[in-house]
Amino acid sequence: MSEKCIAVVSANYRKAYPVIKSVYEMGFKVIALFYKWSSPIFSRYVSKRYLIANPYVNEKRYVNDVISVVNNVKPLMIIPIGFIDTLLLSKYKQKFPSNIIIPIPEFETITYVSRKDNLVKLCERIGIKYPQIYSLNEYQFAPTGPVVVKGVSDASKPEYVFFKESLSDVIKLKNKSFMVQDFVPGVGCGYFALAKNGSIIVDYTHVRVIEEKPSGGPSMLACLDFNPELIFLGRKIVKELKWTGVIMAEFRRNIETGDYYLLKINPKLFWN
């Protein structure tokens, strides 16, 4: 294409739509890559649509398909939407033309922050609080409750256990890649940033107004909230990791002490 354009991959995610709309409103042509057809395909903001391989089925074919589209349309930038897009584009970044901007961290950085057990080490280095965790051999020494049982990977789904008597039953259903973590009573909040090599381009915070469950989980309603303390903590993370691209750090503010605890880091675009 002779006109300036930006590629969005994978555009089948719901959160791709506001990205597509924003790119269009900034005056760029939008090239949307889908690994399955979904509603954004009908958007009037999309100039061209391409079907690519499913990255969960064949990652090398997915990467080759993206490279083929890139070589054809020559976009100024590729914006990855899902975690799998961010992960694979980072892993194979050297295969893409060097003049195309791909705003993502190094592959090793993404895999590092995607494991929640690594976050403990990160928090210890930079002085951020993290909920007490218990390993496979220690969970029986966890407090009476409540606790959170979660996997260590990005795709983990936490379970909340409010009585110690129920903990063993939950543990039996888990594989070995899990951890038991103290539950932090309080309010969920998040730090969001776009950065380059650890330098902030733009950042902001939000606070959760309504969560799916009183114990935590996805937010149903959140609002912008200028929080200097949270911004200070978030910027420490970005600087320490020398982060490039978007990042979301999820915290929980202890309602009793007022302390902020880091729960997870999302190395991808976020739906909020």
Side-chain angles (χ1 to χ4, degrees), residues 45-177:
Y45 303 122
V46 175
S47 295
K48 283 193 174 183
R49 303 154 181 83
Y50 292 88
L51 184 64
I52 58 176
N54 188 325
Y56 293 100
V57 176
N58 190 327
E59 69 173 55
K60 290 188 177 180
R61 185 181 168 194
Y62 160 87
V63 172
N64 288 335
D65 285 351
V66 175
I67 292 174
S68 177
V69 173
V70 166
N71 289 335
N72 181 33
V73 302
K74 297 178 173 54
L76 297 173
M77 177 186 293
I78 303 172
I79 301 179
I81 301 298
F83 174 76
I84 189 67
D85 302 308
T86 303
L87 184 69
L88 295 184
L89 291 183
S90 180
K91 183 177 180 179
Y92 296 98
K93 190 175 181 180
Q94 72 280 0
K95 293 182 176 291
F96 288 82
S98 59
N99 63 322
I100 294 178
I101 300 170
I102 310 178
I104 49 179
E106 296 297 322
F107 177 72
E108 293 76 16
T109 303
I110 295 174
T111 55
Y112 179 83
V113 302
S114 297
R115 288 188 59 90
K116 296 179 180 63
D117 48 350
N118 286 333
L119 296 187
V120 181
K121 304 171 188 175
L122 173 65
C123 288
E124 289 175 350
R125 285 203 311 270
I126 61 179
I128 291 179
K129 293 182 182 295
Y130 192 83
Q132 176 68 43
I133 63 171
Y134 307 90
S135 68
L136 180 63
N137 297 321
E138 298 173 330
Y139 76 85
Q140 63 267 31
F141 303 113
T144 55
V147 294
V148 184
V149 181
K150 60 171 68 173
V152 298
S153 68
D154 175 76
S156 68
K157 294 183 179 180
E159 291 189 50
Y160 300 90
V161 182
F162 293 91
F163 302 99
K164 192 168 185 178
E165 295 75 16
S166 306
L167 186 57
S168 296
D169 294 333
V170 174
I171 296 298
K172 290 176 184 177
L173 300 176
K174 298 289 183 180
N175 58 34
K176 292 185 178 180
S177 298

Side-chain angles (χ1 to χ4, degrees), residues 6 8 18-30 79:
I6 290 178
V8 177
V19 175
I20 290 170
K21 186 173 184 289
S22 295
V23 169
Y24 174 86
E25 290 177 344
M26 287 189 289
F28 296 97
K29 297 289 184 181
V30 178
I79 301 179

Side-chain angles (χ1 to χ4, degrees), residues 210-223:
I210 302 175
E211 293 183 308
E212 185 178 59
K213 298 177 182 178
S215 55
S219 62
M220 299 176 65
L221 179 64
C223 67

Side-chain angles (χ1 to χ4, degrees), residues 242-259:
K242 298 180 175 60
W243 195 267
T244 292
V246 294
I247 186 172
M248 185 274 204
E250 182 180 332
F251 289 84
R252 198 163 179 87
R253 182 177 182 270
N254 189 305
I255 197 170
E256 298 174 351
T257 65
D259 294 328

